[in-house]
Amino acid sequence: MSQTKAILQAIKGLLKQHKINYAQVADHLGLSESSVKRSFSQGQISLNRLLEICAMMDLELVDLLQVLQNQTNEITQLTEQQEQVIISDTKLLLVTVCVCNHWSFKEINQTYQIEAPELISMLLQLEAIDLIELKPNNSIKLKIAPHFHWLENGPIQGFFEANIQQDFWQSSFTGPGELRLLVNGMMSVESNTAMHKHMTRLKQQFSQLSEQDQFLPMEQKHGTTLVMGLRPWELALFTAFRRSESNKNFV
């Protein structure tokens, strides 16, 4: 991540923590809201304006540098052994998913049948693998970066993929908040690559919105899953009718 992007990401996170929106920033700087949004999205912001935004939150530049240092120390991925520890116990996996989504000790305890002593024991296991820090009064400090992700083809991803096949797709996707899309067409390698980029941007938007909503009350949020898939594919029933000379590789 570039230094400019890291600084802007830190500023946006601090603004959310202080419940300051772009309109308030714009009013403080004497700019339009669209100008502020453009400055953040394009990564173009002067040092003087950066200092003015920090002043809105009663912060000095040294405070911002400390936040950046903390972000540098955040982890983006666990090891395979660490993931294996997590999936060895379904309750531990549940608690892991909760803390990664910024649940508090009280919210986990009140929502699930996990009593305080057991929950503390599980949180200490997560602290042992450096995922969190358990602070006084059972406050949970998450130590992962905003762009944290599970290992590709690792234990946790494998667990969820197996259960998605059995659970997630057992729906007509016609209920509130549900949507399923299926499209089919002929695509070149170039168009396929372009779709990959669009899907990656959608994943990033999902992560950003999820981070943005972490400060909302629990009763206003719902566990939400987005699954995307794209591959050169033909229904096996159709492939059975292909002439051998018509088979082709995706290159």
Side-chain angles (χ1 to χ4, degrees), residues 6 18 29 33 50 54 62 79 101 109 112 118 124 133 139 149 161 178 186 194 210 220 225:
H18 287 79
L29 297 178
E33 185 176 354
L50 189 63
C54 286
V62 66
T79 66
N101 282 286
N109 178 240
Y112 297 106
E118 184 181 16
L124 288 173
E133 179 183 349
S139 174
H149 57 282
E161 285 181 355
E178 295 184 340
M186 301 295 290
S210 180
Q220 294 182 23
T225 298

Side-chain angles (χ1 to χ4, degrees), residues 63-197:
D63 300 312
L64 177 59
L65 293 176
Q66 183 60 56
V67 170
L68 287 170
Q69 180 62 39
N70 291 340
Q71 286 186 347
T72 301
N73 294 332
E74 290 176 339
I75 59 174
T76 59
Q77 213 169 41
L78 297 179
T79 66
E80 184 170 349
Q81 291 74 21
Q82 288 171 322
E83 287 197 2
Q84 197 65 52
V85 168
I86 292 172
I87 66 163
S88 65
D89 183 327
T90 305
K91 275 189 180 180
L92 182 61
L93 176 59
L94 168 61
V95 171
T96 302
V97 171
C98 288
V99 298
C100 286
N101 282 286
H102 307 283
W103 286 45
S104 68
F105 184 97
K106 182 178 179 181
E107 288 167 339
I108 299 171
N109 178 240
Q110 291 184 339
T111 303
Y112 297 106
Q113 297 178 32
I114 306 176
E115 300 308 319
E118 184 181 16
L119 180 53
I120 291 172
S121 174
M122 291 180 176
L123 292 173
L124 288 173
Q125 289 183 66
L126 297 182
E127 185 176 56
I129 62 174
D130 217 29
L131 190 74
I132 67 164
E133 179 183 349
L134 188 58
K135 301 174 76 67
N137 300 315
N138 294 325
S139 174
I140 303 169
K141 178 184 177 183
L142 192 59
K143 299 176 72 174
I144 62 174
H147 52 290
F148 172 85
H149 57 282
W150 303 117
L151 287 171
E152 186 172 356
N153 299 319
I156 289 182
Q157 190 179 87
F159 176 90
F160 279 111
E161 285 181 355
N163 284 276
I164 281 173
Q165 298 297 330
Q166 300 172 17
D167 189 4
F168 183 79
W169 294 114
Q170 300 304 310
S171 170
S172 61
F173 287 85
T174 55
E178 295 184 340
L179 175 67
R180 178 174 58 198
L181 300 175
L182 174 63
V183 291
N184 179 265
M186 301 295 290
M187 268 194 176
S188 65
V189 174
E190 291 75 15
S191 294
N192 183 284
T193 300
M195 283 302 305
H196 277 231
K197 293 179 180 178

